[in-house]
Amino acid sequence: MALKPKHRTFRGIGLVEVLITLVVLAVGILGIAKLQTTLVRSGSDTKSRAVGLHLAQEKLEDLRSFSRTLPVEDADGNPISWSAATQKAYSHIQGEINDTETGCSTACEGGTITAGQHTRSDTTYTLMWEVENYCDANPCASTPTYPEYADYKRVRVRVNWSDQAGQQHVTLEGVINPVQPSDTTRVVQDPAPLHDRPKVRHDPGDPPEIVPVDVGDNVNKETTKPLPEVSQTAGSQRVTVDVVTFDTEANEQDCPGGDCIGRREQFISVSCSCQLAGSGQALPASHLVWEAPEENEDGDLVGGELADEVFTRAAEEEVSKPVGCLEGEASCSNPNGLTFVTPGSSQDPLCRRCCWNHHDADSSGNVYDPTLASSAYTGGGDHKHYDSDGNLASSDGDVYVEACRFKRVEGLLHLWRDWRLQTVTVVPGAYLTNNLSSYQGYIGNYIDAYIDNTGQVTGVAKPSNTSPTESGVFAENLPQSGSSQLLARGLYIDAVDDSDYFSDLQSLAAAGETVRDKVPFYEFNVTKLANWISGAGGVITQEGMDGGNGSWAVLRGTEPFQGQTIYLSVTDDQIQDEERDHLTEQVGYWVFAKTSGSILNEADDVIGEYGVAPSVGTQLQTVDLQTSYSDPVIVTSYRQPATGDRPAVTRIANIAASSFDVRLQNPGDLHGPTTSDVYYIVMEAGAHTLPGSIPVEAGTVPSDQTNHAGAWDTGLMETVSTTHGYSAPVVLGQVQSSNDTRWSTFWSRSDHSRGDPPDSTPIYMGKHVGEDDDAARVQETLGYILIESGSGTINAVPWEAALGPDSIEGIDNESGGPFSYTVGIELNGSGVDVTNEAIVDESLWENQYSRGLATGQTEGATADVYAYLNVSTSGMIGVPPIDPNDAVMNSGGGLSRTIITVGCVDCVGVSGEFLKGPKGEGEKVNFSHVEMSVSWGGGACIVETQGQSMSYSCEVPTDTSVTVTPSVSPSDHIVCPASLTVNSGDFGVSGADFTVYKGLSSCP
């Protein structure tokens, strides 16, 4: 049988399988694609984040790369801003990020990389940062004010950018300390053993500006700058002194190209205005302590060094004692640990700590000045505090002036004990150029004597041609004509708390050890610690009117007060014509031998002041006064620099208790007057009496009529009846309102002739407009000051008031220069006024007049070459001013003063150098530790006042008899008749103070 073939069934891939396969394959491929995209995006995100993080790190390091702690200052002493500075500073670092964290809400500053957008790898990043300042270990309550800076800064740097996922950011935080990277690099590259300090190079200063003092073993000590840095805010003044001790034979490897610093010290002194505020917890004085030497194996003393004992804000280091607030504060709290003043204060940032802490809890304990006498303390143990007029502050709320000394220790400022001035040496400007070694030797000898005599230095002779010398005068080097700049250098030595300190030093010296470097002395130039002034001060007013067209007086030239001369002229309005020829006129004046100062009455109350407003133009300029007045009267004088300058009158407006506004106006407003100085006197309205029983009064009167060319009669003037009686009145006046925009100026006359000045009551005064066609004016207020002709001193500043001769002509009459008056006091072209605001040693220089420029005239016995230098040795501002008429030296807490006078003033047949007293019957003056050669007219009385023995003799004319006592016991005296001469060879004072009374027939 035939077999049938078996049929096979063949099946292919169906569509379904294909579709499934495709789906699986697609899913896989899509997954792979998705993975690839994610990998690419992740790589991009990582790169962007790395770039952002790198930018943040770069900025943080950029902030740390500052080259100095504080900014460089501009020519005016202000810190240069971050944006303008080429050297970026630690204190520049600041910033705050806004609430949305998209940028800076306040300027982000510091380093060289700016905030804002930065493009890196095609991505735009936004850079910002914020800074938090820390004082000690806590955030500062407010931003430290220059020149203070935070102890460290906490910085948060943020970088924003956008990508496909949206907004991204990175944040980096760090801490920045006020240590320059270059300093840390030096330590890292050349690490010293743990017991050694890092070596820092010092480039010594150039003598004579900087004087290095040899302290032994090739080590010198000097200031780092020719002068202390002096800066001033509206309410206080700061003096910064930097002192280094350095090795002059350091090897090149340690300090390449210079000497190695062994010790650097910085001191900051500030003057402040405070008020008593009860008691509280406050810091005692940080100070130096002595770490005693030890015996070596041979039994010799070795070592011994000074150490800083500082007190901080820790409660256990504070003590209960009186405290103070800044003047004007209703209340205040403990500021210790803070280096700033609350916003709005015009005083130095350190003044809050100064006012609060600078008090003593116990006069026998740790005090700010261990040298003060017991009489300088209150019953409660605090040293006494005084206001600027010498009045004792005793009740809460009483205002007082204060000065504090801070020392920087390990980067922080600590309130330190007061400076202790030992000696001041005054030299002509060029002296140290040729005599440096002599002066250096003197300082070295003084320090050695300080060690040998346990801090009591006597008998150390100053170099020749310096002052004050043993004879109290310059032997030579001062010209008899022209001028010579005087420089002053001070030596200060800190007190050290340890009864064995001096005996240890003496033992170390006996063993051959160097000990000068163990004496905390500081020598530097103190000349800049004065406010240098130019010229004198005062005002002038034309009295009478000889010329028919009207005129007024102006000060003339760039320096209107020179020597004993006032330079002035009269000018007129130039409205009708250009010429300013004028008949001779009389001008009254009241001038002071100082640019600015207070005017006191017989009771030493402030009744006025004088000063100068610089660079006054046609726009109102505010003049701030030293004192607040109930009813101030203001008189001004314009200084016209050059003959060709257009005429100007001064206009006064907006008179307030402690300020007024002034501007210049050209008559008729035809031309622009030349911007220049305006001198002024301000006085409280009312009748007063100056020291020496000189009458003076001030007041105002309304003026609704106006004199002008052709109308000078008294019917258009006002009359003023005086309170005092005057035999020779000087009338000074001012249109002291600006009710009318048109010009007018003050004038006065007698009742019988328009050409004569006032000479009796009533006084006629008014305003005039010269040749102005439009003579009508609205009512103005006239201010006037009347003073009896005479002279005297106020606050030790000579003054003179008088009516000058009828000799002052018009501007166009000047041929060889301005016209002039000769006065009886010296109005030197330059001088120095040392006040309690220019303090490095906290000396109370207030009310003392120091002259830094000696001038002379070749007139034999009438030559006037002199210099005053008033010094407080106590270093405390909490003592009253020295009264020039005070008969007792060292009163009020240990103050002493040396008065140097070189030359001859009002001499009677005597030439050469001598010391003089003030002029006037019964006046007296103190001289301390000097010999003298002096001659004057009138009788004189010499009294020893300090319980010391002294001997002297008087040489008198042959026709006058006098009893001469060769040796006088304490409190005895001798009366010498007219033309007394006490020669330096015959009259010696050693360790004794004495008083000279002039013009007395018997001693008090």
Side-chain angles (χ1 to χ4, degrees), residues 708-858:
H708 56 89
W712 301 105
D713 56 277
T714 57
L716 299 175
M717 304 181 74
E718 313 302 327
T719 58
V720 173
S721 297
T722 63
T723 301
H724 293 300
Y726 298 90
S727 59
V730 177
V731 181
L732 308 168
Q734 173 79 40
V735 178
Q736 69 166 44
S737 62
S738 295
N739 300 327
D740 201 315
T741 58
R742 295 165 297 177
W743 78 286
S744 60
T745 189
F746 178 94
W747 81 294
S748 63
R749 56 163 287 180
S750 72
D751 61 346
H752 52 273
S753 171
R754 69 176 172 88
D756 293 335
D759 54 6
S760 61
T761 299
I763 303 291
Y764 284 94
M765 60 184 64
K767 63 182 187 297
H768 79 78
V769 294
E771 294 185 277
D772 198 332
D773 290 333
D774 184 6
R777 295 290 188 271
V778 302
Q779 180 174 290
E780 301 281 13
T781 298
L782 305 180
Y784 63 87
I785 297 175
L786 307 178
I787 182 173
E788 182 69 29
S789 296
S791 62
T793 59
I794 298 176
N795 272 359
V797 179
W799 64 265
E800 181 177 306
L803 176 66
D806 190 0
S807 62
I808 306 303
E809 299 180 58
I811 294 286
D812 288 352
N813 299 111
E814 296 178 358
S815 57
F819 299 95
S820 63
Y821 281 156
T822 299
V823 299
I825 62 175
E826 185 72 22
L827 304 172
N828 279 343
S830 295
V832 55
D833 169 30
V834 187
T835 71
N836 63 5
E837 294 177 333
I839 298 167
V840 69
D841 61 312
E842 297 197 41
S843 304
L844 187 62
W845 304 75
E846 179 69 23
N847 300 332
Q848 303 299 327
Y849 183 49
S850 297
R851 200 177 286 271
L853 185 72
T855 63
Q857 303 168 351
T858 54

Side-chain angles (χ1 to χ4, degrees), residues 507-580:
S507 298
L508 287 169
E513 294 286 319
T514 298
V515 293
R516 282 186 187 176
D517 64 334
K518 305 180 191 303
V519 176
F521 74 90
Y522 309 96
E523 189 280 340
F524 46 86
N525 190 336
V526 297
T527 309
K528 192 178 177 181
L529 303 182
N531 294 322
W532 289 89
I533 57 176
S534 176
V539 298
I540 60 175
T541 300
Q542 180 178 320
E543 300 188 37
M545 189 70 68
D546 287 314
N549 295 332
S551 60
W552 62 96
V554 293
L555 295 167
R556 285 285 289 111
T558 57
E559 187 67 71
F561 305 107
Q562 297 184 37
Q564 292 181 290
T565 303
I566 306 173
Y567 292 100
L568 69 165
S569 293
V570 296
T571 187
D572 50 77
D573 52 70
Q574 289 187 318
I575 292 178
Q576 298 296 333
D577 51 57
E578 288 289 308
E579 61 84 18
R580 283 183 285 179

